[in-house]
Amino acid sequence: MDQFTINLLFVGASFALYIGIAIWARAGSTSEFYAAGRGVHPVTNGMATAADWMSAASFISMAGLIAFTGYDNSTFLMGWTGGYVLLALLLAPYLRKFGKYTVSEFIGDRFYSQTARIVAVICLIVASVTYVIGQMTGVGVAFGRFLEVSNTSGLLIGACVVFAYAVFGGMKGVTYTQVAQYCVLITAYTIPAIFISLQLTGNPIPALGLFGDTAGGEPLLTKLDAIVTELGFADYTAHHSNTLNMVLFTLSLMIGTAGLPHVIMRFFTVPRVADARWSAGWTLVFIALLYLTAPAVGAMARLNITDMMWPNGGIDGGAVSVEQIDNDQRYDWMATWQKTGLLDWEDKNGDGKIQYYNDQSENMQELAAEKGWVGNELTKFNRDILVLANPEIANLPGWVIGLVAAGGLAAALSTAAGLLLAISSAVSHDLVKGAINPQISEKGELLAARIAMAVAIVVATYLGLNPPGFAAQTVALAFGLAAASIFPALMMGIFSTRINNTGAVCGMLAGLIVTLVYIFLHKGWLFIPGTNSFTDADPLLGPIKSTSFGAIGAMINFGVAYVVAGMTKETPPEIVELVESVRIPRGAGAAQNK
């Protein structure tokens, strides 16, 4: 059986399962559509939240960015994991106790303002649509490879699949679909990692194999450092980027995580406040299985790729030949990925070999001049393909490759569905019913939600054709927007009775606008290529890249909110009582000395 057929069997079987679950658990009421009837078990919700959380950025893109940068991109791991701890401890239980369907509804009621609710909807839509662009980018990469079509065709096919099961299921259908998707994606991520770790280090646990020795007795990371520096790249394990930008980027990811509406919504689905805490704990366990494996996947893949491009023992042994790429079945993966437009190579100097090296390094330029090289001949290697190509690079069995195909699609589609549900809920429940037509029927509200979701899919698909970066980089922009707009409003809404409606509205608008403008200046207005004035290689504000600015935006949000609140009317007594009742358990008395 050929690989294409195996891929179709795995992907087809997983999709049949997802769509079957969506039909079985189809939402019949607004409570089921928005919050799954508030009847989801904490373990089930933890697994669904993990799938919602571990998007295409985590499964497909993160290890690729780590692989080609090394230590500096460990910020993705630190920021995303740390942010989830913030969410679990500071927000989830209190928001569940408040008992609303959406984040925007909480903000509207807490700040006793329809304007605050509408501004929250705008912030949510901007952040979520940016996030969906990253997911659709991952969907396009995965479908393009495993259906052996172009990246654009893969993206359009994926959009149709998302529409099929997300629009009809609502939160109830999405919850149980995401449980199945988690099982698929974690199996698909860990099995190839175990195989590759065994191949390279003899250790079946990838996280331990990362710090183990290779077959030759040399530590894996030491060997990797030696190989990449020989080719003119930076040390894999060293810190090379600006420390201030690194701190701001990590902080932006952390507080952006804690402000993500599609993840927060998951905690509205459990029966009790205590269940929200248990859900958060289980989610951390399920997330850890992937996040502890990702650094090993990145390092081992980088080592395998470099060995394949220099199969005769490094520069002195010579680069891989064009003939070998064309005829050796170990290199078949390169031709397959070339069809997607995400991988390419060119024999620029006509010597029949493909030299892969850092042609921006001065030392390598001197060596290249001596040897007659005219530049890096691995002309394109999209970072988002690495995890999906990893089993092929390591020459693993066909069924493992098919499993990874299903896992990559599960990761991208699960988060896309959660984000689209957050967008549709904000539009139908908070905008249409909350502001435009409070008398709308339940049936009309569900229709509005599904129309909003369909429109969001179309917009995200269109923007996904020309994304502002790799999947994880695009997602980082979304985290920055959530950090600058939603997170401060939630934190002040729960922990500060002084912030009033005017302060909250001004803070959210200031944080969102400043951050959005900074991103557009670097990534193009409305992410249209060629309309940017700066790049992240040469940012507007010193070393601060667009992906790191969310932390600055959050500071602006907090500052504006407190200044404006101090200049305007105090929060009404009934709202103060509401905030205290959410944060402090009712009936709690003073401590007794007995």
Side-chain angles (χ1 to χ4, degrees), residues 384-408:
D384 289 343
I385 77 172
L386 184 123
V387 169
L388 299 177
N390 211 13
E392 300 170 272
I393 296 169
N395 200 28
L396 296 182
W399 68 267
V400 178
I401 298 170
L403 182 62
V404 171

Side-chain angles (χ1 to χ4, degrees), residues 90-427:
L90 297 180
L91 297 181
Y94 303 110
L95 292 173
R96 175 61 189 89
K97 187 175 181 181
F98 197 82
K100 297 297 181 179
Y101 284 136
T102 67
V103 171
S104 307
E105 193 172 13
F106 166 79
I107 290 176
D109 287 3
R110 158 59 184 90
F111 295 111
Y112 51 99
S113 168
Q114 194 72 348
T115 302
R117 186 172 182 174
I118 293 172
V119 170
V121 170
I122 294 170
C123 295
L124 183 151
I125 290 174
V126 171
S128 296
V129 168
T130 305
Y131 203 148
V132 176
I133 295 171
Q135 303 316 302
M136 299 311 289
T137 302
V139 169
V141 172
F143 270 109
R145 162 60 187 91
F146 296 111
L147 295 180
E148 297 185 9
V149 296
S150 69
N151 186 53
T152 299
S153 299
L155 179 60
L156 296 175
I157 294 169
C160 294
V161 174
V162 173
F163 181 84
Y165 80 87
V167 168
F168 297 107
M171 180 61 84
K172 184 179 179 183
V174 166
T175 294
Y176 294 103
T177 301
Q178 286 175 337
V179 170
Q181 287 168 328
Y182 175 79
C183 295
V184 172
L185 75 87
I186 200 65
T187 303
Y189 201 87
T190 53
I191 285 180
I194 291 169
F195 273 119
I196 295 169
S197 183
L198 281 169
Q199 283 182 350
L200 293 177
T201 68
N203 194 319
I205 303 175
L208 298 179
L210 176 64
F211 299 100
D213 294 342
T214 59
E218 186 179 9
L220 185 144
L221 289 174
T222 302
K223 180 178 180 179
L224 181 56
D225 269 340
I227 289 175
V228 296
T229 52
E230 183 186 13
L231 298 177
F233 298 101
D235 287 356
Y236 191 85
T237 57
H239 172 46
H240 302 283
S241 63
N242 180 272
T243 302
L244 173 62
N245 183 74
M246 190 175 185
V247 170
L248 289 175
F249 181 64
T250 305
L251 182 60
S252 181
L253 292 181
M254 286 180 66
I255 61 178
T257 297
L260 288 175
H262 74 290
V263 175
I264 292 172
M265 283 178 65
R266 294 239 49 93
F267 296 101
F268 300 153
T269 65
V270 293
R272 300 172 300 163
V273 174
D275 294 330
R277 293 190 177 95
W278 277 107
S279 291
W282 279 109
T283 303
L284 282 171
V285 172
F286 293 130
I287 287 173
L289 294 177
L290 188 145
Y291 272 48
L292 289 174
T293 306
V297 171
M300 292 174 186
R302 180 72 179 275
L303 185 59
N304 277 336
I305 290 167
T306 308
D307 281 343
M308 290 196 79
M309 299 309 294
W310 298 92
N312 303 310
I315 290 176
D316 292 336
V320 64
S321 67
V322 175
E323 181 182 1
Q324 192 171 0
I325 292 175
D326 291 339
N327 299 314
D328 189 336
Q329 65 177 10
R330 292 180 303 160
Y331 292 84
D332 287 349
W333 67 274
M334 294 183 68
T336 306
W337 278 102
Q338 189 181 38
K339 295 177 184 177
T340 68
L342 300 173
L343 177 71
D344 209 355
W345 59 94
E346 178 188 357
D347 182 13
K348 297 178 180 178
N349 62 350
D351 66 351
K353 295 183 177 182
I354 302 298
Q355 283 89 22
Y356 163 60
Y357 65 99
N358 180 14
D359 53 13
Q360 302 302 310
S361 165
E362 291 184 8
N363 291 336
M364 291 305 295
Q365 288 172 357
E366 293 178 7
L367 180 64
E370 292 176 13
K371 292 182 173 291
W373 301 345
V374 293
N376 177 30
E377 295 180 337
L378 186 62
T379 54
K380 189 171 188 179
F381 197 117
N382 189 292
R383 307 298 187 254
D384 289 343
I385 77 172
L386 184 123
V387 169
L388 299 177
N390 211 13
E392 300 170 272
I393 296 169
N395 200 28
L396 296 182
W399 68 267
V400 178
I401 298 170
L403 182 62
V404 171
L409 292 171
L413 296 176
S414 61
T415 303
L419 288 163
L420 292 168
L421 186 61
I423 294 169
S424 67
S425 299
V427 172

